[in-house]
Amino acid sequence: MNFELKNVPMRTHKPRNNGLTMVMDKGFSVRQAEDFMAVGASYTDFVKLGWTTAYLTPQLEEKLAVYRSAGVHPYLGGTLFEAFVVRDQFDDFLRVIEKYKLEYAEISDGSIVMPHDQKCEYIAKLAQHVTVISEVGSKDNTKIMAPYKWISLMKAELAAGSWRLIAESRESGNVGLYRESGEVRQGLVDEILNEIPNEKIIWEAPLKAQQVWFIQLLGANVNLGNISPHEIIALESTRLGLRGDTFHNFI
């Protein structure tokens, strides 16, 4: 920090197991990734190359190297996994993971219909090669799962080998955990937390109000995901109670 302030909450230090921040890269160039890391590397743990953007991004290998050299773990969005699986190309997906020397991989089923037992089998297979992060929840806002279903799926995916679970919201923040208005489904979150350890969950929270809600509920070291690169400093100030929304939380 550039100067000293008293009564600022203690943040976990990298490499972190809790208080994680996952940022969404929607197609940065190498230069943009370098500029982002110059500001945000200390506050970013993971960069997800959103949905299937890695398929199209120029100089992909060079961009991944930028993130790694800054101490940030890059990985490919779960929709890319789905794009391979729906085409019966899981082995090709494994070769992509190997080619780009990725240490983490995301598995999701938000865009395709997949029996959950099959998803757990993919988690178990992939966990033999990399650290698996699995996403729970649909990208379809007409599919609203009951809390008991979320909990059942989450427990099964942890048992299959997932290191962390992502609670789905999309980059728009209006599905899964949230109502169409962006409001948090508080009852759902409460029930999940009764059954699943908080540190095992990365809560997707792309909107400021959602980030504030989770910080007020779970503290400065809550795991948050789908953060815009341009919001990384703003989020860290919110975590530390140095923004109006959380100013009085830690005094």
Side-chain angles (χ1 to χ4, degrees), residues 16 46 51 144 149 198:
R16 283 183 271 258
F46 295 94
W51 54 101
I144 299 176
K149 185 67 172 176
N198 170 48

Side-chain angles (χ1 to χ4, degrees), residues 20-70:
L20 302 168
T21 299
M22 178 266 280
V23 170
M24 176 75 81
D25 174 341
K26 299 181 182 181
F28 268 0
S29 68
V30 173
R31 176 62 60 83
Q32 287 173 312
E34 290 171 340
D35 288 345
F36 169 45
M37 288 292 93
V39 174
S42 296
Y43 312 115
T44 305
D45 302 281
F46 295 94
V47 170
K48 178 196 291 193
L49 276 60
W51 54 101
T52 58
T53 56
Y55 181 66
L56 302 168
T57 300
Q59 296 180 286
L60 176 59
E61 206 154 8
E62 291 87 339
K63 183 166 74 167
L64 295 174
V66 168
Y67 290 134
R68 289 193 187 101
S69 66

Side-chain angles (χ1 to χ4, degrees), residues 11 19-23 43-45 203 205-208 210-212 214-215 219-220 222-243 246:
R11 282 284 276 129
L20 302 168
T21 299
M22 178 266 280
V23 170
Y43 312 115
T44 305
D45 302 281
W203 308 94
L207 306 182
K208 184 187 79 166
Q210 297 164 353
Q211 297 159 17
V212 169
F214 278 106
I215 291 167
V222 60
N223 301 324
L224 296 174
N226 272 20
I227 306 302
S228 166
H230 306 293
E231 294 293 323
I232 190 66
I233 297 292
L235 170 60
E236 195 66 21
S237 69
T238 306
R239 286 184 183 274
L240 297 177
L242 299 175
R243 191 173 183 174
T246 55

Side-chain angles (χ1 to χ4, degrees), residues 36-209:
F36 169 45
M37 288 292 93
V39 174
S42 296
Y43 312 115
T44 305
D45 302 281
F46 295 94
V47 170
K48 178 196 291 193
L49 276 60
W51 54 101
T52 58
T53 56
Y55 181 66
L56 302 168
T57 300
Q59 296 180 286
L60 176 59
E61 206 154 8
E62 291 87 339
K63 183 166 74 167
L64 295 174
V66 168
Y67 290 134
R68 289 193 187 101
S69 66
V72 172
H73 300 290
Y75 69 91
L76 311 180
T79 305
L80 185 63
F81 159 79
E82 297 179 51
F84 274 98
V85 166
V86 80
R87 292 168 172 82
D88 195 25
Q89 289 183 260
F90 178 70
D91 287 343
D92 292 330
F93 178 72
L94 290 178
R95 282 188 277 273
V96 168
I97 296 294
E98 182 180 3
K99 175 182 177 180
Y100 291 104
K101 299 179 175 62
L102 296 166
E103 297 177 349
Y104 292 81
E106 182 178 301
I107 284 184
S108 66
D109 58 351
S111 298
I112 63 175
V113 176
M114 179 190 298
H116 196 247
D117 287 349
Q118 185 181 12
K119 182 182 180 185
C120 288
E121 289 174 7
Y122 280 122
I123 291 170
K125 289 178 183 177
L126 197 54
Q128 297 174 26
H129 302 272
V130 292
T131 301
V132 175
I133 302 171
S134 63
E135 188 172 71
V136 179
S138 175
K139 291 177 170 57
D140 185 344
N141 62 7
T142 66
K143 296 180 180 178
I144 299 176
M145 287 194 298
Y148 81 88
K149 185 67 172 176
W150 280 78
I151 293 164
S152 174
L153 298 179
M154 286 177 155
K155 286 182 175 179
E157 293 181 21
L158 287 172
S162 289
W163 173 70
R164 288 292 184 274
L165 305 164
I166 294 177
E168 170 73 85
S169 78
R170 299 198 73 175
E171 70 277 8
S172 56
N174 62 356
V175 299
L177 288 174
Y178 307 104
R179 297 184 173 88
E180 193 171 353
S181 64
E183 180 186 2
V184 181
R185 294 174 61 192
Q186 183 172 348
L188 169 63
V189 173
D190 288 343
E191 291 202 40
I192 289 173
L193 288 171
N194 281 333
E195 299 285 341
I196 308 294
N198 170 48
E199 63 271 15
K200 288 292 186 181
I201 304 170
I202 299 173
W203 308 94
E204 288 192 338
L207 306 182
K208 184 187 79 166

